[in-house]
Amino acid sequence: MKNTVITFQKAKEEGIKISMLTAYDCPTARLIDEAGVNSILVGDSLGNAILGYKDTLSVTMEDMIHHGAAVARGTENALLVIDMPFMSYQSSVYDAVVNAGRLVKEAGANAVKLEGGASVCPQIKAIVEAGIPVVAHLGLTPQSVNVLGGFKAQGKDEKTARKLLDDAKAVEAAGAFAVVLECVPSKLARLVTQSLSIPTIGIGSGSGCDGQVLVSLDMLGVFAGASPKFVKKYAGMGKLMKNAFAAYHKEVQSGEFPSNEHEFAISDELIERLY
Ligand code: KIV
């Protein structure tokens, strides 16, 4: 069954947790979709996770459309949310509506996500009025990394905690149907969740949220080295992949690959006639 904004709303009302994972390509999207995950996010984490940038600021509309469309081709039942990249909506309400429209028309998004609270409410309202569902994103908002001074937990003092709660209420009032809470202290995330009638989707924000989202490559254990504290690794894909690449390299060098079973046959007689 296709997950929609109604599924999200019902899940909140009935206390059913919502699952969301990021994807950036068609085969990964297909596996996530077939696994029954409620929602796929084409995050602008595309920038760090796939394109090799140090942050998300260089990601363009063209990047999001290119990868979003690939993910859409592998998505059947999950609700497909595509991130609005840096400067595709901050500049004006007009830009926000036009670019949200492109993510729906050219990539196949069911909904768009954008970062920010009260300051982007005019954009959220206008996009929703244009018929496009919006997920808001509060807490650690990576597109504001230069203002925040790094990738760190947000809302840890009274002033910023109160602002986060006010922003959450503001984005709900503007028409967002869900809100991502990234790296928010778990007790504050629980309070925000209890204060809203739309679902909260947490990442690094504890179990009190209505749902959870992770970057798929993080939870698959693709990257070597330490990952953020909130990531649970469900597999060790990085090691598996590296071992497979090394085994292939060794077998190519030794001549073990390809063997007969990987070859196409032709009659000896025909080959002799060619000599
Ligand atoms: O870009 C992204 O992947 C995100 C998630 C971390 C929520 O915004």
Side-chain angles (χ1 to χ4, degrees):
M1 270 252 299
K2 179 72 185 172
N3 286 270
T4 67
V5 293
I6 310 284
T7 321
F8 271 49
Q9 194 51 50
K10 273 186 84 178
K12 169 90 183 185
E13 285 159 16
E14 293 170 11
I16 300 166
K17 297 282 186 181
I18 299 163
S19 58
M20 179 188 269
L21 281 173
T22 67
Y24 316 96
D25 61 72
C26 179
T28 308
R30 192 162 285 138
L31 292 171
I32 294 172
D33 194 80
E34 285 171 3
V37 173
N38 296 116
S39 180
I40 294 179
L41 170 67
V42 186
D44 63 351
S45 51
L46 171 72
N48 344 36
I50 300 291
L51 301 179
Y53 297 130
K54 69 177 191 331
D55 53 41
T56 61
L57 302 182
S58 306
V59 176
T60 64
M61 275 298 294
E62 275 58 43
D63 292 332
M64 296 310 296
I65 289 169
H66 184 72
H67 287 266
V71 169
R73 288 190 283 274
T75 304
E76 206 179 320
N77 292 323
L79 178 80
L80 177 58
V81 182
I82 303 185
D83 260 352
M84 301 197 68
F86 182 54
M87 279 304 141
S88 67
Y89 59 95
Q90 289 94 339
S91 42
S92 71
V93 170
Y94 176 82
D95 284 350
V97 176
V98 168
N99 286 319
R102 287 191 69 196
L103 293 176
V104 172
K105 290 180 77 161
E106 298 176 46
N110 301 133
V112 300
K113 176 166 82 58
L114 52 81
E115 298 179 6
S119 64
V120 292
C121 279
Q123 282 88 331
I124 294 175
K125 194 162 179 287
I127 296 170
V128 173
E129 277 170 4
I132 301 168
V134 174
V135 179
H137 183 154
L138 297 172
L140 170 53
T141 46
Q143 292 178 15
S144 305
V145 61
N146 289 320
V147 174
L148 301 176
F151 298 100
K152 38 191 176 197
Q154 300 297 310
K156 289 177 84 173
D157 58 52
E158 185 175 343
K159 189 170 164 222
T160 56
R162 205 172 283 285
K163 164 122 175 57
L164 200 139
L165 186 56
D166 289 346
D167 276 340
K169 290 178 183 165
V171 296
E172 173 174 29
F177 76 94
V179 54
V180 165
L181 299 178
E182 180 165 355
C183 294
V184 172
S186 53
K187 286 183 185 163
L188 176 59
R190 192 178 289 276
L191 172 62
V192 171
T193 301
Q194 288 164 354
S195 308
L196 299 184
S197 60
I198 56 172
T200 58
I201 312 291
I203 174 163
S205 300
S207 61
C209 297
D210 297 303
Q212 298 294 324
V213 57
L214 281 177
V215 170
S216 53
L217 297 174
D218 282 342
M219 58 82 77
L220 288 172
V222 170
F223 302 118
S227 46
K229 172 182 173 167
F230 56 80
V231 172
K232 179 171 177 183
K233 290 191 180 173
Y234 286 81
M237 293 302 290
K239 199 160 170 222
L240 279 177
M241 289 166 78
K242 202 159 151 186
N243 287 346
F245 297 147
Y248 165 77
H249 172 66
K250 207 166 141 215
E251 289 194 6
V252 168
Q253 290 211 314
S254 69
E256 194 179 339
F257 176 81
S259 59
N260 287 351
E261 65 192 292
H262 306 114
E263 296 177 358
F264 298 99
I266 189 172
S267 77
D268 290 345
E269 194 192 328
L270 196 154
I271 284 293
E272 265 159 36
R273 285 209 298 274
L274 300 178
Y275 274 98

